[in-house]
Every structure is written in C-alpha cells, then in structure tokens.
Amino acid sequence: MKPRVLLVASEAVPLAKTGGLADVITALAYTLRTQGVDARILMPGYPSAMQSAENIRRADTLPDLPGGQGILLSGVIPVVKVPVILLDTPLFRNRHANPYTDLFGSDHNDNPICFAALAHAAMHICAGRSVFPIPNVVQANDWHAGLIPALLKANNIRNVGSVLTIHNLAFQGNFPMELAPQLELPSSILNSDGAEYWGKISFLKAGICFADKISTVSHNYAKEILTSHFGHGFENILRHRKKDIVAIPNGIDTDIWNPLNDPMIAKNFSCTDIHGKHLCKLKLQKEFKLSSLNPMAPVLAIGSRMTHQKMADITLAAMPALLNRYPLLQLAVLGCGEPEYQRGFQLLARKYPGRVGAIIGYEETLAHVLHAGADMLLHGSRFEPFGLTPIYSMRYGTIPIASRVGGLADTIIDAGTVHSPMTNATGFLFDGEQPQDLIDAVNRALASYAIKPEWQRLQANAMRGNFGWEDPGLQYINMYRSITAPEFRHLFPLATTSRVRASQVA
Ligand code: ADP
C-alpha cells in the first residue's frame, strides 16, 4: 500500500495559474508519485480547470459546504497524469478570469466563502465522508487552504497529519469575524491562539496555529519571516511555532524549462553549445518590437507580476537613467498586474521605440521566448519566498540581476565586481529598495557583459545549476513521515537525500 498525500491548493498548472504556486503544486505532486507516494491534488473547479483536466467524472456530492452544495469531480492533469479532485460549486464556476480578482483587479467578495468551502471539502475527505480514500497527510498551501488544519482539529480528525506550506506570507486571507457562521467555523478555533487576528478571521493564521508542521519554500525566507521586516505582522505567531517550521526549497520542472528541447524557442541550445541563443535573441527582439541591428546590444528582460512586491515602481523609476546612459541597452517586459505599473511600462515603450518593448498579459509561450532570448533578467523584489523566474532564466544562460532577499539569496551566487569576480558566480544580487540600488547592479552586470570570457563563465555556471524536484520531493516525504501516525509511518519510503536542502529552522 502506498502512503497517501492530499495537496490542497488554489492553482495547479495547466489547470489554473497566476504565479509560481501553480508550477510548484503540479511538479511536487508528480515528483511524489514517481517517488512512491499516492499524491493527489484538490483544487477549485474553475472553468479553466474543467476545460483542461482530462477524464473528468462526477465522483461525489458534499451537501453542506459554506455557500451550498459542492460536487467533487475526479480527473487527471494532462501529460503528467496526476489525479486531481475538482470542487465544483456555483461560485467557483463563475471565476472566468483571475481566480481571486474581478476584471478591475478587486478581490471577489465571495473569496472567503469559496475558499472556506474548499477547506471544508478537504476536511470531509479526511474524515472519510467521501468516495476518496482518507489521506495520511493533507498539505494545505497558502491562505486559500489555511482553514484545513483548524477544521481537522475542530472535528477531532487525528489520523491525518497536516502541513501548512507558506508560498507567500503577504497574502493572509483576513476577513470580518461576522462571517464565521456563514463559513461554518466553530468558536473553538476563533480565539487568539487560533484563527482570530486583530478581531478578524485569518485563514493563514488558522493554518499556522493548527498545522502539525509549517513548511516554507527557501532557507532564507524561513528565517526572514521570523523578523518584523518580512513577517507581515505574523512574525511573533511564527516564532511561537519555530520548532515546527521546515524549509524545503522548491525545484523547477527541468523538462519544461530546458533549452535543449524546448519547442517554444527559436533554436535549441545547451551549456556546451550556446550558439542557438543568438536566434532566440532575434526572435525575442522581433516579438517585443526591438531593434535587431546590433547583435551586441544587451537585452534586459523582465517577466513578472507587475506589483509593489516585485518593485515595479522602483524599476520604472530606474530605467530612464539606464536607457539614457547605455544607448545600446534594450528592455523587453512581459507581465501584468497593477494598472498604474502596466501603464508605466507601456509609456516607457512609447518613449524608447525600438529599445523598450512591453507586452501586457500572461503568456506562457512568450515567457519561454523571453527567458531564452534575453541576456539578463531583471528581478527586483521587496520579498521573494523562492523565486522561480530567475532559475528559469539561468537555465537558458540569461543572467539574473535580483534583490538579495528570500530564495533569491539562496539560489543566485553574486558575481562580485569586475575587478574581483567570483569564479562560481551565477548572477548579480543587490540590497536595498531604491532606484540607485538597482541601477548599480545593472551597471555591474553590463560591465561584465562587456568582457566576453567573464560573461561566458557566468552563463556556463548558471546553466549548470541543479534545481530539479527530486531532492525537494524526498525532503517532503521525510516531513510527511514525521507527522504520520506511528502505525502508518512505514508506508512512506525511507528517503535519503542527495543534498541536504531541507532544514529545521529552530
Ligand atoms: P510569483 O510566484 O511571486 O509570481 P515566481 O517567480 O516564483 O513568482 O513565479 C512566477 C511564475 O509565473 C513563473 O512561472 C513565471 O514564468 C510566471 N509568470 C509571471 N508573469 C508571467 C506572464 N506575464 N506571462 C507568463 N508567465 C508569467
């Protein structure tokens, strides 16, 4: 018999995606399955998910969820064949664009009801009140699933271990206390040691207080979230649970993000023969309407949500100085987010025709074109739990210039200066949140770019990094085993990791 893990999340590629969480959920579930775990995903039945999942069939009905009846559909994720349970409710069925916000970028009013329904559905599965087998462990991802550990405790479900995984502490799911009856939350969990947070119900705090383990996605972020600068008000609550916090760095899907056989790029290449990157750069310049007259023109890429977290404001403030100083410098921007930042990048493109191209939207294929064709990736962040994007770029020999925060500080090795370069460097890291901090880092990168052997060494180092999912998968298995009832622990394969990448924070 295989051990069973239920991963509950609001996104999973290709069924629904707004950011890195979606990549992580599908890749983790797939990896666990290859490692002997019966991993299954529970997520909302958004229209996009219903369209992309395969072999969908009606499996069960849950009559009493917040917001009414829910139907559990069973299906599989295409290509990777990971089993998925879709929670079909009238509210989720209405989410045609972004899963969390309306067309104007405002949060949907019924978010608390929708995601409370998801948590109750998970609790019913864990209680054995559905056709699906009871998991040994339920992994609740981010605030959307944060109520699950609390509901397990409130319903005295002791035979299922629970993990809360924090992919981004900034999103906490805090809602008015008056909603408690509608969300079917018992008073036993609504106190200051539980889901209550400054008089509100906090879905994330519920998870933090009641989960058996709390995991997060990089070593550095695991430490940062215990500080007032990065804790978003939760630092004391997290410190309280410090001994149960585990850091397991994410991996990336090295099949999808592979310059050697990526079908979405102009020409395949590898770290031993990088010539094809030249054609990828030409394709990027064409797609982003950049001049291709000078092959030496350095192309800086940005591929990101356009938000305050991602320092879109600082990037917009810094770019004119850089573009004016370096007449050959080009900028290709792919992203969407807050309307004022979108407008800012569009204006920049109008001001520097042929040198700045901005595509506002969410385009998977263009993301590959961008990572493959650019010389450098600019990735400012005020905080970054892990940061998949710079790792994708490194795979394609596109050198990241990134903030020294969270996972970025763990995964990018700073090049130092031209005069004393680090031989194993893979990119450029900067401290601070001012335009000049970012400008200084780009200056350093452009100085290296001008020295061909140095740049080629950076590219080779970056492309050789090992960021697959195998090791993180084994680390998750170790964590699951530690919270499984003793009589079922033997079900989890004994995982010996090749590198020690998980750590206990305490
Ligand atoms: P976050 O999860 O904070 O958004 P990550 O860098 O960890 O940041 O993950 C972002 C994911 O979203 C990556 O897979 C990246 O390629 C993708 N992404 C972000 N913006 C876009 C976009 N406009 N078009 C396509 N993919 C995007």
Side-chain angles (χ1 to χ4, degrees), residues 288 302-306 333-337 342 358-362 370:
F288 286 80
I302 297 175
S304 174
R305 291 183 285 121
M306 290 174 176
V333 186
L334 170 64
C336 48
Q342 296 187 169
I359 298 180
I360 306 299
Y362 202 95
L370 188 85

Side-chain angles (χ1 to χ4, degrees), residues 17-21 23 168 257 303-305 309-310 334-336 361-364 367 371 379 384 386-390 392:
K17 171 169 172 176
T18 68
L21 172 66
D23 295 359
N168 195 334
W257 298 95
S304 174
R305 291 183 285 121
Q309 177 195 342
K310 303 288 181 180
L334 170 64
C336 48
Y362 202 95
E363 290 263 0
E364 201 70 27
H371 288 300
H379 194 89
E384 191 69 66
F386 181 68
L388 291 169
T389 313
Y392 296 153

Side-chain angles (χ1 to χ4, degrees), residues 102-185:
D102 62 22
L103 291 174
F104 306 100
S106 304
D107 285 352
H108 288 295
N109 287 334
D110 52 21
N111 274 347
I113 301 172
C114 285
F115 291 105
L118 184 69
H120 278 272
M123 183 270 290
H124 285 300
I125 292 171
C126 292
R129 290 186 214 127
S130 81
V131 295
F132 295 101
I134 298 175
N136 299 102
V137 170
V138 62
Q139 179 171 337
N141 293 278
D142 275 348
W143 75 264
H144 320 102
L147 289 177
I148 297 169
L151 290 175
L152 294 190
K153 291 284 180 305
N155 288 279
N156 211 15
I157 301 168
R158 291 159 188 257
N159 54 337
V160 181
S162 64
V163 181
L164 173 79
T165 302
I166 300 174
H167 300 266
N168 195 334
L169 188 62
F171 301 104
Q172 304 178 339
N174 300 333
F175 302 106
M177 191 53 88
E178 297 71 56
L179 287 176
Q182 224 184 326
L183 305 184
E184 299 176 25
L185 300 180

Side-chain angles (χ1 to χ4, degrees), residues 142 166-171 216-222 224-225 230 232 248-250 305 309-310 381-388 405-411:
D142 275 348
I166 300 174
H167 300 266
N168 195 334
L169 188 62
F171 301 104
T216 189
V217 292
S218 70
H219 297 283
N220 196 32
Y221 192 61
E224 285 175 345
I225 56 176
F230 291 102
H232 296 277
I248 305 179
N250 284 335
R305 291 183 285 121
Q309 177 195 342
K310 303 288 181 180
S381 269
R382 288 186 163 88
F383 58 92
E384 191 69 66
F386 181 68
L388 291 169
V405 293
L408 303 173
D410 290 345
T411 52

